Structures are given as C-alpha cells and as structure tokens.
Amino acid sequence: MTLTFLTGGARSGKSALAVRRAQRSGRPVVFVATGQAGDEEMADRISRHQAERPEGWRTVEAPVDLVDACAALKPGACVVVDCLSLWVSNLMEHGDDEPTTLDRARALAGWATAYRGDVVVVTNEVGLGIVPMHPVSRRYRDRLGRVNAVLARDAGLAQLVVAGRTLTLDPQED
C-alpha cells in the first residue's frame, strides 16, 4: 500500500505516467478526476485524458469534495487522483480559505496513507517561475505549493516529472 506523488510542469507527462503505473499495479483502477469542463478548451483536455485511460476503469468526478469521494472508495484498488492543481483552483472558486484548503489536504493525505491499496496523486508544480503579477495568482501558487507539500511529505515515493522523465525527491528531513 503506497502513496505516490507526481508533480511537474504542464504537459510534462505526469498523467501519462500515473496511467502507466496504474495499469501495471495489477489492481482494479479508480480514476478520481477533479477537472470540470467549464469551457470548450477544458472539455477538449478532459476528452484527451479520458481517451488515454483503458476501458474498464471506473471514473469518479470530484471537483470539490475530493476527500469524501476518496473515503467512499472500497479498498484494494489503485486510485489515481488527477489533479490537485485543479482541485485547489476549484476550492478557491468555491470560497475556501487557505486553512480550510490545507485541512482538506491533510485529510486527503491521511486517507491516502491509510488506504488499503495504491494511490497515485498528480499535481502541477507552479512555483518555479516568476512571481505572478496578480494577487489571486500569487495566492493560488502559494496555496497549491502548501497543498503539494502536505501530500509529498506523506508519500512513500515523490517524483518530479520533466519532459516525461522522473527525478525522485528525497524525503523531507525534520
């Protein structure tokens, strides 16, 4: 039973890697999606991601209530959560403040580490570039960074994905 945390830039290969790992797990797969098709471009992105998934995988849509959706899953599966980046954006749009979002992230990490099966969490790394000009963008970047740190801290394996290649991240030292 493991929690794997995959982070990296947009189009770095994180989701494709998560799909391959789930396929190799030998377990039934549940794909927990946080994206919402709010416009045509996003609908197209979601369609492309769906086409990458093998038939027979169960999909659970959880744009806001991710923790409850995961807690309702039966043990024994390989659960792919894709992705925290959209989830945090959805929570901000939903009106969550940062402490509430971090409480949700800690609850998700607690569920993931206790789940009797495999969990692969996908997220974007958005803190490596310039400081955004707009305050909302800065709040999002900071909040996602903190959420990512919560999940990465409890992961048995944390990897940065760049150009389809992985770099394993050392565990956090106290």
Side-chain angles (χ1 to χ4, degrees):
M1 313 335 159
T2 61
L3 167 59
T4 299
F5 179 83
L6 301 176
T7 189
R11 296 285 173 245
S12 62
K14 304 175 302 289
S15 294
L17 177 59
V19 166
R20 289 192 308 274
R21 290 200 175 155
Q23 285 176 300
R24 291 193 308 253
S25 73
R27 298 178 180 272
V29 178
V30 180
F31 192 95
V32 183
T34 62
Q36 300 179 95
D39 57 40
E40 190 174 318
E41 186 269 339
M42 191 62 180
D44 182 56
R45 282 178 179 264
I46 290 170
S47 293
R48 279 183 283 153
H49 273 284
Q50 290 170 336
E52 293 173 356
R53 293 180 222 147
E55 287 187 36
W57 284 17
R58 180 173 165 226
T59 298
V60 174
E61 303 288 337
V64 174
D65 296 321
L66 178 58
V67 177
D68 290 340
C70 288
L73 298 175
K74 293 179 181 176
C78 179
V79 179
V80 176
V81 176
D82 195 357
C83 73
L84 297 183
S85 314
L86 292 173
W87 181 54
V88 168
S89 176
N90 295 339
L91 292 176
M92 289 178 73
E93 189 174 321
H94 184 258
D96 278 15
D97 59 12
E98 185 167 319
T100 301
T101 299
L102 291 174
D103 284 345
R104 289 182 192 241
R106 285 187 282 276
L108 180 65
W111 167 82
T113 57
Y115 181 72
R116 292 187 322 249
D118 296 323
V119 179
V120 180
V121 174
V122 177
T123 189
N124 283 333
E125 173 52 59
V126 297
L128 296 175
I130 62 171
V131 175
M133 288 176 39
H134 196 276
V136 171
S137 299
R138 288 191 297 272
R139 282 193 301 273
Y140 171 75
R141 179 208 53 197
D142 294 349
R143 191 174 304 185
L144 178 59
R146 289 182 183 105
V147 166
N148 285 349
V150 166
L151 272 292
R153 180 180 52 243
D154 290 340
L157 176 64
Q159 293 184 310
L160 176 66
V161 183
V162 179
R165 305 293 298 264
T166 59
L167 176 64
T168 299
L169 306 173
D170 290 336
Q172 180 178 351
E173 293 185 29
D174 292 326

